[in-house]
Amino acid sequence: MKLAQHLQHLAYDPGVHPGQGGLPGLDVLKKVIGSINLFGIIATVGALALSAVIWAWGHHSGGHQAEQNGKKGTTIAAGVALLLGAANGIVAFFSAMGTSVH
């Protein structure tokens, strides 16, 4: 009976928690991920500008499909910018939610 209780306790709390600085190269990985995030933000600025130009060109030239594609690209670029900017907060929020699960 004691073994069953021990296994049940392990199922609820395996004792694994995130730790800081446990792996070599963690600082390098953080810099790489930060650089990838910055690259994504810069690419999103370019996509937003290009989509806005296509939207305006389609509107003024009567090209309804180009106008719709420009609107779609602008909306997608804005959403990507939101997600890239909020990435740390989103992960922290769901990580905190995960720690409250028992």
Side-chain angles (χ1 to χ4, degrees), residues 12-92:
Y12 289 120
D13 185 14
V16 178
H17 303 285
Q20 284 260 336
L23 291 175
L26 192 59
D27 290 333
V28 173
L29 182 62
K30 286 180 183 180
K31 287 180 184 178
V32 168
I33 297 300
S35 297
I36 291 171
N37 194 1
L38 177 62
F39 179 78
I41 290 172
I42 292 170
T44 302
V45 169
L48 182 64
L50 183 62
S51 296
V53 167
I54 292 171
W55 183 359
W57 174 74
H59 178 74
H60 291 293
S61 68
H64 299 294
Q65 186 173 2
E67 182 179 2
Q68 291 302 318
N69 286 338
K71 286 180 185 179
K72 185 177 7 174
T74 302
T75 305
I76 290 170
V80 168
L82 177 69
L83 289 174
L84 286 172
N88 284 337
I90 292 170
V91 171

